[in-house]
């Protein structure tokens, strides 16, 4: 047991001290900070350079359009075409709208160095339509009662539960976040583990190690060490994500967002921080064991980068076939795959998020997953010495069949 701990500790500390692990852990936080920073700068820049002045003899019409634009005070002070041209040249506004009236018809013309946005065009048209309608009513000599009758429109009402709509949106977001998390962590640790094992292939040091401890203890120590690394990363994500979430809630610019989408955010967090995390962890462990087995089967240490291919391709296959079931989690195929190891880490969380699986079904799936993990560890640890010391140059499938034959 002491030697098993030594192997596990050596594997663990060697991995967490590497720059690749540090970058792997910090990357999501740096990406989130960069995205927020760029979004803030972009929004600030857009606000600064998206101003439009309005020039018109009809001050009521002019003020109505400016109100739609939500313009700053300095844009409201631009009242003539000459002032507007100077403002455009000084880069204080991107353009100006000139509104005139000819024979009971309103005409608006925009000039600038940037086009109006789609929303700005719609805002101008909305105000112009309202004022044009008033002119048409006056020209037609309609009474107020006649005008009200012309304004009669059919109605269409909908009754949609806001909670249900938010729950559906929360399920979709939870699905994408969870599936991508499982996929990315599996791909990462499959590659790391496969190369960790494959790099020892054919080295004389392995014969020395196996002379002082059993291959089973050595293999289990490797897996325990990698499990510790995986747990460390998940804990850092949970703690760091929680702190970022609490900090974001205190930022003035983000408080309205959290207030508006509070039920949606809580729904997503509830779908992620529950039994689904256990499926994520066990799924990564299962693929890590497969990657370790693949790493032990390579012909030589130089083939280490290829060692993760079996685990990578299998995970990729499970990842992509889960997408058609995001809105059909109750399908028979999804039910079957939610109990199949290597697929259950994707499909059972999908079913749980969509409320198509009970906790009893999830428990049964977990039991099968855990049994598969222990079964693989027991079997591979028995044949590990023969696998790692095997130096044949045959094809991968020949080495695979030969590896299964070791006892």
């Amino acid at each position: 047991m002491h030697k098993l701990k030594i192997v596990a500790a050596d594997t663990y500390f060697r991995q967490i001290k590497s720059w690749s692990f540090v970058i792997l852990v910090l990357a999501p936080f740096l990406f989130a900070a960069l995205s927020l920073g760029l979004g803030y700068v972009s929004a600030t820049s857009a606000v600064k350079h998206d101003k439009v002045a309005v020039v018109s003899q009809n001050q009521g019409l002019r003020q109505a359009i400016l109100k739609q634009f939500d313009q700053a005070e300095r844009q409201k002070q631009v009242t003539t075409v000459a002032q507007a041209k100077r403002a455009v040249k000084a880069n204080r506004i991107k353009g100006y709208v000139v509104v005139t009236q000819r024979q009971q018809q309103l005409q608006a013309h925009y000039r600038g160095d940037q086009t109006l946005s789609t929303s700005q065009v719609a805002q101008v048209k909305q105000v112009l339509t309202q004022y044009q309608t008033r002119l048409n009513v006056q020209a037609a000599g309609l009474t107020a009662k006649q005008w009200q009758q012309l304004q009669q429109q059919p109605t269409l009402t909908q009754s949609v539960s806001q909670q249900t709509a938010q729950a559906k949106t929360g399920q979709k977001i939870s699905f994408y976040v969870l599936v991508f998390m499982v996929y990315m962590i599996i791909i990462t640790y499959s590659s790391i583990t496969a190369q960790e094992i494959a790099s020892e292939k054919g080295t004389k040091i392995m014969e020395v190690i196996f002379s002082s401890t059993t291959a089973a203890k050595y293999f289990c120590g490797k897996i325990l060490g990698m499990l510790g690394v995986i747990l460390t990363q998940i804990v850092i994500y949970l703690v760091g994500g929680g702190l970022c979430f609490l900090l974001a809630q205190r930022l003035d610019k983000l408080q309205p967002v959290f207030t508006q989408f509070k039920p949606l955010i809580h729904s997503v967090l509830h779908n992620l921080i529950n039994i689904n995390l256990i499926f994520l962890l066990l799924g990564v462990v299962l693929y890590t064991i497969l990657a370790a087995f693949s790493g032990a089967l390579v012909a030589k240490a130089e083939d280490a980068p290829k060692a993760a291919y079996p685990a990578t391709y299998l995970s990729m296959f499970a990842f992509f076939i889960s997408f058609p079931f995001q809105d059909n989690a109750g399908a028979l195929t999804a039910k079957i795959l939610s109990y199949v190891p290597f697929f259950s880490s994707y499909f059972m969380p999908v079913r749980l998020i969509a409320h198509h699986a009970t906790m009893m079904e999830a428990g049964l799936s977990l039991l099968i997953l855990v049994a598969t993990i222990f079964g693989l560890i027991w079997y591979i640890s028995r044949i590990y010495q023969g696998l790692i010391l095997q130096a044949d140059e045959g094809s991968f499938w020949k080495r695979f069949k030969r590896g299964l034959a070791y006892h």
Side-chain angles (χ1 to χ4, degrees):
M1 186 62 70
H2 177 65
K3 293 178 180 178
L4 185 146
K5 291 180 181 178
I6 292 175
V7 175
D10 176 70
T11 303
Y12 174 78
F13 287 110
R14 186 169 65 256
Q15 289 295 332
I16 65 170
K17 289 179 180 178
S18 65
W19 277 108
S20 59
F21 178 79
V22 175
I23 295 173
L24 179 66
V25 170
L26 294 181
F29 299 107
L30 293 175
F31 178 76
L34 181 63
S35 299
L36 288 174
L38 291 176
Y40 178 78
V41 171
S42 176
T44 305
S45 176
V47 169
K48 183 178 180 181
H49 297 97
D50 203 38
K51 301 301 182 183
V52 178
V54 179
V55 179
S56 177
Q57 295 296 323
N58 188 330
Q59 292 301 312
L61 174 59
R62 177 176 174 273
Q63 293 297 330
I65 297 176
L66 287 173
K67 186 177 180 181
Q68 288 287 327
F69 286 165
D70 191 24
Q71 297 288 24
E73 191 62 35
R74 63 182 181 181
Q75 272 68 55
K76 293 180 181 179
Q77 295 173 357
V78 178
T79 58
T80 66
V81 173
Q83 290 175 336
K85 288 180 178 179
R86 287 195 295 269
V88 171
K89 189 174 182 180
N91 201 30
R92 289 190 291 112
I93 59 175
K94 72 174 185 178
Y96 58 95
V97 177
V98 179
V99 182
T100 58
Q101 180 179 336
R102 293 182 181 178
Q103 297 179 355
Q104 296 299 104
Q105 182 184 26
L106 293 174
Q107 297 178 350
H109 184 74
Y110 168 78
R111 295 181 178 88
D113 54 11
Q114 297 178 43
T115 60
L116 288 172
S117 66
T118 303
S119 61
Q120 288 173 330
V121 171
Q123 290 165 346
V124 173
K125 286 183 176 180
Q126 179 183 356
V127 176
L128 290 177
T129 300
Q130 292 174 352
Y131 274 77
Q132 185 64 59
T133 301
R134 294 179 188 176
L135 292 176
N136 294 342
V137 170
Q138 292 174 0
L142 298 177
T143 64
K145 185 176 181 180
Q146 290 172 328
W147 169 239
Q148 288 178 354
Q149 289 177 340
L150 288 175
Q151 287 292 95
Q152 293 288 342
Q153 297 289 334
T155 61
L156 171 65
T157 59
Q158 298 185 69
S159 298
V160 180
S161 171
Q162 186 175 3
Q163 292 183 346
T164 302
Q166 288 186 342
K168 292 289 185 183
T169 305
Q171 288 175 8
K172 277 188 174 294
I173 295 174
S174 302
F175 167 81
Y176 285 110
V177 172
L178 186 66
V179 168
F180 273 96
M181 279 180 60
V182 173
Y183 177 71
M184 293 306 299
I185 295 177
I186 284 176
I187 291 295
T188 300
Y189 282 101
S190 294
S191 177
I192 292 174
T193 305
Q195 294 192 47
E196 171 84 13
I197 300 296
S199 62
E200 301 170 342
K201 187 75 174 186
T203 58
K204 294 293 183 183
I205 190 65
M206 295 309 302
E207 297 179 8
V208 177
I209 291 174
F210 290 156
S211 66
S212 60
T213 186
T214 64
K217 288 183 178 180
Y218 185 79
F219 175 75
C220 291
K222 285 283 187 182
I223 297 301
L224 284 175
M226 293 306 301
L227 176 59
V229 177
I230 296 167
L231 283 171
T232 300
Q233 182 179 353
I234 292 176
V235 169
I236 291 174
Y237 282 173
L238 289 175
V239 175
L243 291 176
C244 291
F245 180 73
L246 294 175
L247 178 63
Q249 285 183 306
R250 296 179 179 273
L251 297 177
D252 293 336
K253 291 186 177 296
L254 293 179
Q255 280 184 352
V257 177
F258 281 97
T259 301
Q260 181 180 358
F261 297 103
K262 186 176 181 180
L264 177 62
I265 295 171
H266 286 181
S267 173
V268 173
L269 292 177
H270 174 73
N271 288 330
L272 297 179
I273 307 176
N274 54 19
I275 194 173
N276 290 331
L277 275 182
I278 301 177
F279 276 101
L280 184 153
L281 175 62
L282 294 181
V284 175
V285 172
L286 183 61
Y287 277 92
T288 298
I289 296 170
L290 175 62
F293 179 64
S294 301
L297 282 173
V298 298
K300 50 189 175 181
E302 290 77 9
D303 295 332
K306 305 175 184 176
Y309 287 173
T312 300
Y313 291 149
L314 182 58
S315 177
M316 191 179 299
F317 178 69
F319 171 72
F320 283 111
I321 66 171
S322 66
F323 278 86
F325 297 98
Q326 59 174 307
D327 295 319
N328 191 22
L332 180 61
T333 303
K335 289 181 180 179
I336 294 173
L337 292 178
S338 66
Y339 296 102
V340 178
F342 297 105
F343 294 89
S344 58
S345 296
Y346 287 97
F347 282 88
M348 185 53 77
V350 169
R351 290 185 62 204
L352 288 170
I353 289 173
H355 305 293
H356 282 286
T358 64
M359 291 305 297
M360 183 177 295
E361 290 175 317
L364 177 59
S365 180
L366 277 178
L367 185 63
I368 295 172
L369 191 56
V370 170
T372 303
I373 288 172
F374 279 103
L376 278 177
I377 290 175
W378 172 80
Y379 180 73
I380 296 174
S381 63
R382 288 183 61 201
I383 65 175
Y384 188 70
Q385 182 169 346
L387 292 174
I388 204 68
L389 296 178
Q390 183 183 189
D392 298 334
E393 293 290 340
S395 67
F396 175 83
W397 292 111
K398 287 183 178 179
R399 294 193 303 274
F400 179 76
K401 289 165 63 177
R402 195 177 296 114
L404 295 177
Y406 279 113
H407 293 287

